[in-house]
């Protein structure tokens, strides 16, 4: 199943300053959570494939919250990408990169933000035509200093640093010319999900959407 609506990786990155990294374990949380994020100004939603319920949650959001753009995170294989596309995902995010994964996402018409942490990984992704990349794990792999260093040799690449990013350190990352957005899990805290505190999630989304780039 190919994705029918065309979307580019750059459009995913430029929609808002933050892409939320979301872990869902209960499908009943999916729709109200997505509505809260959209109400706060965040539409690109990365649902990670870290739980057995992730695909069902994607399907529910894609069907019930058309204003949201469902994405799949922790995509590690061609089969992951295929399952995500079948569940309604319109973009994919991976923790690393392989040629097989890149090829699969292209075949599916699924924009991919491949994960990179080294210069060699950036070059491998670029060889396959990917210039919008996820820097992961960002803070553990050098943070803003590493991104500044990459600005010289990889000036044609735009990054979405993810991993250890918070509301407090996001502005420093977003101020860098080669950063298009950041990825962060702080928008959807586990306790807010468990308590059904959708107002809190909307507030966190609104704060994130208001970050300057």
């Amino acid at each position: 199943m190919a994705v029918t609506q065309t979307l580019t990786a750059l459009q995913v990155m430029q929609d808002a300053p933050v892409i939320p990294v979301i872990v869902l374990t209960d499908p009943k949380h999916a729709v109200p959570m997505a509505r809260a994020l959209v109400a706060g100004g965040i539409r690109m939603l990365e649902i990670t494939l870290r739980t057995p319920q992730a695909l069902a949650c994607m399907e529910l959001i894609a069907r019930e919250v058309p204003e949201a753009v469902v994405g799949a995170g922790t995509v590690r294989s061609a089969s992951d990408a295929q399952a995500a596309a079948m569940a309604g995902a319109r973009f994919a995010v991976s923790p690393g990169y392989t040629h097989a994964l890149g090829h699969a996402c292209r075949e599916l018409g699924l924009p991919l933000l491949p994960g990179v942490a080294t210069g060699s990984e950036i070059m491998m992704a670029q060889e396959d035509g990917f210039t919008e990349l996820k820097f992961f794990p960002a803070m553990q792999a050098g943070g803003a200093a590493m991104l500044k260093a990459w600005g010289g040799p990889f000036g044609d690449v735009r990054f979405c640093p993810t991993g250890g990013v918070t509301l407090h350190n996001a502005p420093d990352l977003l101020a860098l010319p080669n950063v298009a957005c950041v990825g962060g899990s702080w928008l959807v805290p586990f306790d807010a999900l468990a308590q059904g505190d959708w107002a809190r999630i909307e507030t966190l989304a609104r704060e994130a959407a208001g970050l300057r780039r």
Side-chain angles (χ1 to χ4, degrees):
M1 174 183 171
V3 177
T4 54
Q5 290 182 288
T6 305
L7 187 68
T8 68
L10 188 58
Q11 286 172 328
V12 171
M13 296 171 84
Q14 291 181 332
D15 197 71
V18 184
I19 297 175
V21 180
I22 304 163
V23 179
L24 290 170
T25 58
D26 191 337
K28 76 171 185 277
H29 293 152
V31 169
M33 177 218 64
R35 287 177 175 153
L37 289 168
V38 170
I42 301 293
R43 299 189 313 140
M44 302 291 166
L45 312 184
E46 178 189 336
I47 312 299
T48 62
L49 296 178
R50 300 180 191 176
T51 69
Q53 298 83 11
L55 292 170
C57 291
M58 287 183 210
E59 290 179 359
L60 285 167
I61 296 170
R63 184 172 68 242
E64 303 293 336
V65 193
E67 316 95 289
V69 179
V70 178
T74 322
V75 175
R76 301 188 300 169
S77 65
S79 59
D80 282 348
Q82 177 72 37
M86 292 288 289
R90 293 178 55 199
F91 67 93
V93 184
S94 62
Y97 181 70
T98 66
H99 297 300
L101 178 59
H103 176 75
C105 287
R106 286 201 188 284
E107 288 291 300
L108 290 163
L110 196 64
L112 173 66
L113 294 180
V116 298
T118 68
S120 296
E121 291 168 357
I122 295 171
M123 291 167 65
M124 185 168 69
Q126 279 192 295
E127 280 184 359
D128 289 349
F130 295 93
T131 55
E132 288 79 39
L133 309 176
K134 166 184 171 178
F135 175 32
F136 176 81
M139 303 313 292
Q140 296 86 343
M146 181 66 85
L147 287 161
K148 288 176 185 175
W150 280 344
F154 302 115
D156 54 343
V157 176
R158 303 294 297 280
F159 294 97
C160 172
T162 305
V165 180
T166 68
L167 179 64
H168 303 293
N169 61 26
D172 291 337
L173 296 166
L174 290 167
L176 299 173
N178 57 349
V179 171
C181 68
V182 300
S185 58
W186 82 86
L187 282 73
V188 185
F190 286 113
D191 59 338
L193 277 176
Q195 296 161 13
D197 193 348
W198 314 125
R200 180 181 168 200
I201 290 175
E202 181 179 342
T203 297
L204 291 169
R206 201 174 301 281
E207 288 176 343
L211 290 170
R212 298 185 65 178
R213 290 186 279 193

